[in-house]
Amino acid sequence: MVQKLPRRKVLTGIGVAGALGVAGCLDAQGNGDGNGGNGGNGNDTGNGNGNDTDDGNGGAEIDYSGTVRYGVLMPETGDLGSLGGPIRDGALLVESQLSGSLEFDVQTGDTETQPSAGQSAAQNLVDAGMPAVVGPAASNVNMQVTRSAFIPNQVVGISPASTSPAVTDLEDDGYIFRTCPSDALQGPVMSDVVMNQMEGSSTATLYLNDDYGQALESSYASAFEEAGGEVTNQVSFEAEQSTYSSQLGDALSGEPDVLMVVGFPQSGITLFRDYYSDYASDWDGQVIVPDGLIDDTLPGEVGNDMEDVWGTAPSSAGPGADFFADRYEEEFGSEPGVFNGQAYDAAAVITLATVAVGGDEADGTAIRDAIPEVANPEGTEYGPSELADAAAAVAGGEEINYVGASSPVDFDENGDVVSASYDVMRYQGGGLEVQDTIDYEAE
């Protein structure tokens, strides 16, 4: 996958949740993407909801007598615990939205951000008869879970957050998908930001010693060197240690312009406390982090506004982003964050594929085969605000193309999405603000 000439859209002044989840929320009257009778499926409701409702159910009658079954496997605790709960909620939103039109059996599991716990929780979902699972999130957990539980049992896995390039090359017989882009893209994105927006010509890396950290660090460092930059030091660290002062010292010893840090929030709290206590005042540089450290609660936990820290993360900038953000906030009382839209899209695709199969025949293999049929062109486009209408159409044998909250959700032969948008952010004023959005597409 390579970068095409990016279309950049400056989004300064937007807060983290609005930036990560959407390009902007619906107004109180629901004047969003559907536009009622002007292209949506609604009856003058302004959001394609139909039947004068505002919940996206559309009043559609779905000719499907079976049960939609899927698991949601997320890190509700552990190093990614602060991000995992909201990602889980994104996947649960589909059931809430369509519960009046379809029967659901949705079960959740906690990976604890650990491969062993993830394998145990995944096997519980498999044993409970879940033919498909939204998750896991962390790449080191995802790689273990897919190999031990999903692939051998012919269960579909769609991760909204596992970005390791290694997922692309899994020998998975087509059962493993993801709605987030590969870090084969994010590494070059970060390199571009460092060179062209942060004006750095040298960099050091400090990265979590797992599948996620190793792969993203390698992608970033390679892209940086290929662009003519200098990589001074490359230092790994283990998760959830009591201090990271020595690793920070090793990484910064070459006096780089920019330090790139890959990790998760729990480790990040300790790491950045050490950084601001021991190094920040004596080093005239800046820091950049990827999606794993995009958490608007981090400055408060660290005790510093972190205004020298930039970040990148896959954006939820799909055609249905506005509706999704509005619905998510209504349901959970907070704006969506990183990978929440990707989780919603994963659950939506599983739901539509299940309905497409029909009856009680929706096992993992049938869902696997139906996913490209409901998610990829050709067919009539339906977004999150028309999800019930999409299910009704597919139940009636119509060809559809689901376009999602996070992206158009078109999968390639490896189960990867073929296009992605990245938000470029800075920690400012105790939170996150988007500076730019960059669009990338597969060649």
Side-chain angles (χ1 to χ4, degrees), residues 43-407:
N43 297 325
D44 298 321
T45 62
N47 57 10
N49 292 327
N51 210 28
D52 294 323
T53 68
D54 59 4
D55 59 4
N57 290 336
E61 293 186 7
I62 303 171
D63 185 17
Y64 179 73
S65 59
T67 299
V68 176
R69 295 174 295 141
Y70 62 87
V72 182
L73 184 61
M74 288 296 145
E76 298 177 12
T77 57
D79 209 6
L80 265 176
S82 63
L83 300 181
I87 299 173
R88 173 205 62 207
D89 291 344
L92 296 178
L93 189 59
V94 170
E95 177 191 12
S96 172
Q97 182 179 342
L98 298 183
S99 60
S101 302
L102 290 169
E103 181 177 335
F104 284 84
D105 177 9
V106 178
Q107 300 186 28
T108 64
D110 179 10
T111 70
E112 303 175 23
T113 329
Q114 296 289 338
S116 58
Q119 288 174 296
S120 177
Q123 192 60 51
N124 288 340
L125 293 174
V126 171
D127 292 344
M130 298 295 107
V133 175
V134 179
S139 290
N140 64 325
V141 177
N142 189 39
M143 296 294 289
Q144 297 291 336
V145 163
T146 54
R147 289 174 174 147
S148 67
F150 293 166
I151 298 168
N153 291 287
Q154 299 180 323
V155 169
V156 169
I158 306 184
S159 176
S162 174
T163 55
S164 171
V167 176
T168 298
D169 298 323
L170 275 171
E171 295 183 5
D172 59 9
D173 200 20
Y175 286 97
I176 305 305
F177 299 79
R178 53 182 168 179
T179 48
C180 60
S182 167
D183 281 333
L185 282 181
Q186 185 164 204
V189 168
M190 298 181 77
S191 173
D192 178 77
V193 171
V194 169
M195 288 191 156
N196 296 314
Q197 300 192 43
M198 300 173 70
E199 300 182 345
S201 61
S202 63
T203 188
T205 60
L206 184 57
Y207 60 95
L208 185 63
N209 188 24
D210 69 357
D211 289 328
Y212 167 62
Q214 293 165 8
L216 180 50
E217 189 275 342
S218 177
S219 174
Y220 167 78
S222 296
F224 198 81
E225 289 181 327
E226 288 174 7
E230 177 190 6
V231 179
T232 58
N233 291 305
Q234 296 167 273
V235 180
S236 66
F237 65 88
E238 302 300 324
E240 298 186 78
Q241 302 298 298
S242 60
T243 180
Y244 293 104
S245 186
S246 64
Q247 291 93 333
L248 281 160
D250 291 342
L252 295 174
S253 62
E255 294 294 322
D257 296 328
V258 175
L259 175 64
M260 182 268 212
V261 180
V262 186
F264 294 144
Q266 284 301 113
S267 300
I269 293 169
T270 301
L271 190 152
F272 278 104
R273 284 175 178 170
D274 288 344
Y275 165 70
Y276 286 109
S277 172
D278 301 336
Y279 296 98
S281 61
D282 297 324
W283 173 60
D284 186 23
Q286 299 180 90
V287 180
I288 188 168
V289 299
D291 43 64
L293 284 167
I294 299 298
D295 184 347
D296 61 356
T297 68
L298 197 57
E301 296 283 357
V302 171
N304 189 289
D305 282 350
M306 300 176 59
E307 294 195 353
D308 57 344
V309 179
W310 294 60
T312 63
S315 172
S316 285
D322 290 350
F323 173 84
F324 165 73
D326 184 67
R327 178 77 194 211
Y328 185 100
E329 185 170 7
E330 177 184 316
E331 184 77 13
F332 301 113
S334 62
E335 294 177 323
V338 66
F339 296 124
N340 296 182
Q342 284 83 355
Y344 176 93
D345 288 338
V349 165
I350 289 170
T351 298
L352 294 172
T354 300
V355 173
V357 173
D360 292 320
E361 300 172 4
D363 60 11
T365 301
I367 291 172
R368 174 200 68 182
D369 295 343
I371 284 174
E373 296 177 6
V374 301
N376 290 3
E378 303 290 327
T380 303
E381 290 189 355
Y382 292 89
S385 66
E386 306 131 356
L387 194 55
D389 297 308
V394 83
E398 298 180 27
E399 291 186 5
I400 73 162
N401 174 21
Y402 174 74
V403 292
S406 63
S407 77

